[in-house]
Amino acid sequence: RIQILFEQTVMQLGYNKRAARKAGKTASRKGPNYPHPRNLEIVYKEGCEEGKISADPFTIEVQMYLEMKGFPHKVHIVNPDNGSKLPEWFRKNNWDGVLPMAKYDKEQYKLSSAEIMMSLEKKFRVPLMSAGGMGAGRFRGKTVKNLTLSLLKSNRPYDDSNPDWVDMKNEFKQLDDYLVGCHNKEGDYLKSKKFSLWDLRMVPALYNLVTIAPHFKPGFEIPEDSPRLRSYLNHAFEDPIFKKYCPPLKKIIRYYEPKLGVRVVLPDDA
């Protein structure tokens, strides 16, 4: 009888361990134990392969945000131009093919990286990514993204005769002044002591700019009258979450070549 009881106990312990492992896997699939979007699906443009680093700053923003929030999600890689691999709900909710796109909680659809992150952050506050309030929302990276292409396409030098460079310098100076007023010392992040929503929206675009500018149009550098911005970028570029999604030089150049209509020959090109 003792032997039978012993064998039953061993069998029960084995069953409990298997059940615990199974429960753990189920919990992992269901996501974190704090409020999060249900059935979250993210659509990226073809070329932004799942599990691989992208050079598209909008994609990088969303990828970093979702990882830092810990939100489980399904990824679709599509080409809206030829209709390749489009989810059935895509066209009727996104006629213009704006990407990235998100779908969650049954009928919630959000277009563009900014709308996706801001809407999710507003509804799901844990873990908080917008610490310090909305003050840094002035810096959304939009100006840098818009000016990057026009600045690098222009034949004018990086001086005051170039209106795009003047606008970019003004953006740099305002960001530098904001960093001073926000923390009154070098090296801190925007509105926080750690990487936040505001950094997500600025850093990928700035990294692409300072990385590719010397290859497409030599002579670019962050102005000397923006020392805190320089310090901030050196700090942000070394942040673990950004380093994980930071694209290599070749990928960034290949991403911008068709946009700028220029072919750059790199040392490792055959």
Side-chain angles (χ1 to χ4, degrees):
R1 180 175 177 80
I2 293 175
Q3 180 63 27
I4 293 174
L5 287 173
F6 175 77
E7 291 174 354
Q8 289 177 338
T9 301
V10 170
M11 290 175 64
Q12 185 63 36
L13 285 171
Y15 171 80
N16 289 341
K17 288 181 179 179
R18 289 193 299 274
R21 285 196 297 269
K22 185 176 180 181
K25 290 179 181 178
T26 302
S28 176
R29 286 198 299 268
K30 288 183 177 180
N33 59 356
Y34 47 80
H36 60 278
R38 303 295 175 181
N39 302 313
L40 175 60
E41 298 182 47
I42 302 292
V43 185
Y44 297 123
K45 189 172 183 178
E46 198 170 67
C48 304
E49 300 178 50
E50 184 177 4
K52 294 187 178 180
I53 294 174
S54 169
D56 175 41
F58 303 102
T59 297
I60 298 172
E61 292 172 13
V62 176
Q63 289 176 327
M64 289 195 295
Y65 178 79
L66 293 177
E67 173 157 335
M68 294 179 76
K69 295 291 278 191
F71 293 161
H73 57 282
K74 179 180 179 181
V75 171
H76 301 274
I77 307 296
V78 306
N79 186 336
D81 296 332
N82 61 21
S84 173
K85 302 177 182 178
L86 295 179
E88 59 181 358
W89 42 264
F90 184 91
R91 280 297 184 200
K92 64 180 181 180
N93 297 286
N94 189 357
W95 283 102
D96 294 328
V98 177
L99 293 173
M101 178 184 182
K103 172 183 179 292
Y104 62 93
D105 293 353
K106 293 184 178 179
E107 299 298 326
Q108 291 290 319
Y109 300 94
K110 302 298 177 183
L111 311 180
S112 81
S113 59
E115 186 177 344
I116 291 170
M117 293 188 294
M118 295 302 290
S119 60
L120 289 174
E121 188 68 15
K122 185 176 181 180
K123 186 172 182 179
F124 305 101
R125 303 290 284 171
V126 178
L128 185 64
M129 289 288 293
S130 54
M134 298 297 186
R138 147 77 179 87
F139 302 104
R140 304 185 179 114
K142 184 177 180 180
T143 301
V144 173
K145 292 165 188 168
N146 290 342
L147 286 174
T148 293
L149 291 179
S150 58
L151 182 65
L152 297 181
K153 282 181 178 179
S154 172
N155 291 323
R156 297 184 179 183
Y158 298 113
D159 61 27
D160 290 346
S161 69
N162 185 342
D164 291 323
W165 176 241
V166 172
D167 289 343
M168 187 71 85
K169 276 203 314 179
N170 288 338
E171 182 73 358
F172 290 157
K173 190 65 174 68
Q174 290 180 47
L175 184 51
D176 190 83
D177 292 342
Y178 182 83
L179 288 166
V180 176
C182 189
H183 295 295
N184 197 30
K185 65 178 182 179
E186 298 182 5
D188 284 318
Y189 293 113
L190 285 172
K191 207 66 178 179
S192 177
K193 294 293 183 181
K194 60 182 181 180
F195 220 82
S196 71
L197 179 63
W198 320 121
D199 303 289
L200 289 176
R201 300 191 65 184
M202 286 296 299
V203 173
L206 285 167
Y207 182 81
N208 280 4
L209 174 60
V210 301
T211 301
I212 65 168
H215 296 273
F216 287 100
K217 188 177 176 182
F220 173 88
E221 62 178 13
I222 300 293
E224 293 182 359
D225 64 353
S226 301
R228 290 159 190 82
L229 175 57
R230 288 184 171 193
S231 177
Y232 163 75
L233 292 179
N234 288 335
H235 191 47
F237 292 165
E238 291 300 313
D239 190 275
I241 186 64
F242 181 69
K243 289 183 75 173
K244 180 174 180 178
Y245 289 96
C246 174
L249 171 63
K250 186 172 183 177
K251 180 159 282 192
I252 302 175
I253 288 178
R254 297 294 178 250
Y255 173 79
Y256 280 97
E257 280 178 337
K259 299 178 184 295
L260 296 172
V262 177
R263 173 69 178 180
V264 176
V265 178
L266 298 173
D268 60 344
D269 287 339

